Amino acid sequence: MTGPELLLRGPDVGQVAAALELALRTHRRDGHAPGGQLRDVAARIALAVPLVAACLPALLDAAGAEAAAAVREQVAGVAGSKTGTRPTPLGVSEASRRAGVSGRAVRAAAAAGRIKAAKHRVTGQWMITVADLGEWMEQRAA
């Protein structure tokens, strides 16, 4: 990457990661793949804030498989509890795909409290654990 180096610290990196996530989603929606420099920036940001990046699928995709694997490894190492590692939450699109319902249905259930979910503090997106999604799917089936 040529040009001046960019130094971000503290919450600025998380905010840049969230903004880049939104830009990458728009880029993807418009049918564009991120170029080499954008992939490099995505990888650097993902590795700088792995706990944030783990919840930003477009950022991890743009960062590449190697950076995404490193992020997941770092998150698994710091997100441990007495019983093991904390599960990586799912976004609405992945949760809706797994449940076989629309994203709107998942968001409505989360907002109404029918499914245990939390809004990501940086992106504002609903995040749902696999276990909570399974409980909700069982409740819906009953």
Side-chain angles (χ1 to χ4, degrees), residues 21 23-33 57-59 61-62:
E21 169 77 6
L24 288 165
R25 285 179 181 208
T26 302
H27 221 54
R28 185 186 319 159
R29 185 190 68 221
D30 293 343
H32 303 292
L59 178 71
D61 184 49

Side-chain angles (χ1 to χ4, degrees), residues 40-64:
D40 183 51
V41 168
R44 288 179 187 212
I45 291 174
L47 293 171
V49 286
L51 293 175
V52 173
C55 300
L56 303 174
L59 178 71
L60 286 180
D61 184 49

Side-chain angles (χ1 to χ4, degrees), residues 109-136:
R114 293 188 303 272
I115 184 172
K116 292 179 187 173
K119 282 202 169 189
H120 190 276
R121 67 180 183 87
V122 175
T123 65
Q125 297 174 345
W126 286 107
M127 303 308 295
I128 304 156
T129 66
V130 174
D132 291 336
L133 178 64
E135 285 181 30
W136 179 66

Side-chain angles (χ1 to χ4, degrees), residues 6-103:
L6 180 61
L7 179 61
L8 297 171
R9 294 186 183 180
D12 293 341
V13 182
Q15 291 172 349
V16 169
L20 184 55
E21 169 77 6
L22 295 175
L24 288 165
R25 285 179 181 208
T26 302
H27 221 54
R28 185 186 319 159
R29 185 190 68 221
D30 293 343
H32 303 292
Q37 284 187 331
L38 189 54
R39 287 186 171 281
D40 183 51
V41 168
R44 288 179 187 212
I45 291 174
L47 293 171
V49 286
L51 293 175
V52 173
C55 300
L56 303 174
L59 178 71
L60 286 180
D61 184 49
E66 189 175 316
V71 165
R72 288 187 187 96
E73 186 177 313
Q74 287 181 6
V75 169
V78 297
S81 67
K82 291 179 183 175
T83 59
T85 60
R86 181 176 63 189
T88 302
L90 306 172
V92 170
S93 60
E94 179 62 18
S96 65
R97 186 188 67 76
R98 290 184 184 198
V101 298
S102 70

